[in-house]
Amino acid sequence: MNGIHLRCGVTAALSAAGSALAAALGGWDGGLETLVWCMAVDYLTGLMVAGIFHRSGKSESGALDSRAGFLGLVRKGAELLLVLVANRLDGALGGGAYARTAVILFFTANEGLSILENLGLMGVPYPAFLQAALEVLRDNSQSGTEKR
């Protein structure tokens, strides 16, 4: 019986932490869900580029590099922190989700472009309109901000 109680306790704690994180990020909606999926796919395709194809620009050999992988996760965490800051900014300005939405769209477009770059390094073809659409989304979401 102890194993069942422990498993239920861990599940409850993880559920509470996930709910608190989603609430801090402005709620689990389609935009945030899309961003998280794009982050996961980008990381996975990046691992494939380095681990299978040895074509990563993140290491000298093009192969897997634990430091590069860790830095990639840190950057994705920083992106989520910016979503949190944008959500708090929207709250401080009295409602609406304008800053949060712009940040989510910007990072979703960047993640999408990175996925396409990874697919290109693997030799996987993709329609050119997809890259153009992601670039338009990124450019429109950063109006008034400096391009990086």
Side-chain angles (χ1 to χ4, degrees):
M1 256 341 226
N2 272 343
I4 292 173
H5 291 298
L6 178 63
R7 193 173 353 182
C8 288
V10 168
T11 301
L14 289 174
S15 297
S19 295
L21 178 61
L25 294 172
W28 187 255
D29 60 0
L32 185 60
E33 182 177 357
T34 301
L35 175 59
V36 170
W37 272 106
C38 285
M39 288 175 152
V41 170
D42 179 48
Y43 195 77
L44 178 64
T45 57
L47 287 175
M48 291 167 63
V49 164
I52 299 169
F53 295 93
H54 305 288
R55 291 185 168 171
S56 174
K58 310 278 196 258
S59 69
E60 287 185 34
S61 66
L64 284 173
D65 179 359
S66 60
R67 179 167 168 74
F70 176 72
L71 291 175
L73 289 175
V74 168
R75 278 193 287 279
K76 290 183 186 325
E79 290 176 13
L80 291 176
L81 283 175
L82 280 175
V83 172
L84 185 143
V85 168
N87 182 55
R88 297 308 313 148
L89 179 62
D90 284 336
L93 295 175
Y98 304 111
R100 177 184 179 270
T101 300
V103 168
I104 287 175
L105 289 175
F106 176 77
F107 284 126
T108 299
N110 272 353
E111 294 290 340
L113 289 168
S114 181
I115 291 166
L116 292 182
E117 180 182 320
N118 290 339
L119 292 176
L121 289 170
M122 289 188 272
V124 176
Y126 56 85
F129 80 85
L130 191 54
Q131 181 172 350
L134 288 167
E135 288 172 350
V136 167
L137 178 63
R138 181 190 59 194
D139 292 346
N140 286 344
S141 67
Q142 68 179 358
S143 61
T145 63
E146 207 172 299
K147 292 184 182 181
R148 46 180 210 161

